[in-house]
Amino acid sequence: MPTAIQTDLAFILFLPAFCIVGALYCFYPRAPRGAPRRIADLAVLALAAVASIAAMRWGFRAATGVGGALWRQVLATLLAFGFFFATVGVAALVRARWFRRLRARL
């Protein structure tokens, strides 16, 4: 299998899971909605995807030593998941704080 496909395999295989988590992040909570929130949500998802791909590629290159090719895929997948969920998780906390400030102002 070509190296370019191997390095992106973890992201490709788990893209459906990332889409489900991304959709849940965008759809909940249901209010407030508006253009600024949609733009911010899409920016967070783009940042999470870029961070996930970068971490996955780094993990694939960094996995040396015992374990062979399988260990490279496992490490790449773990890092891809970790960075995606960490980015979305931090963004969810920041967004919750942002919503509290909006409610306090009203």
Side-chain angles (χ1 to χ4, degrees), residues 1-86:
M1 184 178 297
T3 305
I5 293 174
Q6 284 183 359
T7 57
D8 295 334
L9 188 60
F11 188 79
I12 293 167
L13 289 174
F14 292 102
L15 188 60
F18 292 157
C19 289
I20 291 168
V21 171
L24 290 173
Y25 173 77
C26 288
F27 294 139
Y28 295 103
R30 294 179 183 238
R33 297 264 177 173
R37 177 177 167 191
R38 283 189 203 106
I39 292 169
D41 287 349
L42 291 177
V44 163
L45 293 179
L47 177 66
V50 168
S52 178
I53 290 170
M56 175 196 51
R57 289 184 176 176
W58 175 81
F60 190 81
R61 285 190 300 269
T64 58
V66 296
L70 182 61
W71 173 243
R72 297 175 98 177
Q73 290 297 331
V74 168
L75 182 63
T77 302
L78 289 173
L79 288 173
F81 263 134
F83 274 74
F84 188 86
F85 287 117

Side-chain angles (χ1 to χ4, degrees), residues 77-101:
T77 302
L78 289 173
L79 288 173
F81 263 134
F83 274 74
F84 188 86
F85 287 117
T87 304
V88 172
V90 168
L93 294 173
V94 169
R95 185 174 68 180
R97 184 180 226 181
W98 177 38
F99 288 167
R100 270 187 254 124
R101 285 185 182 168

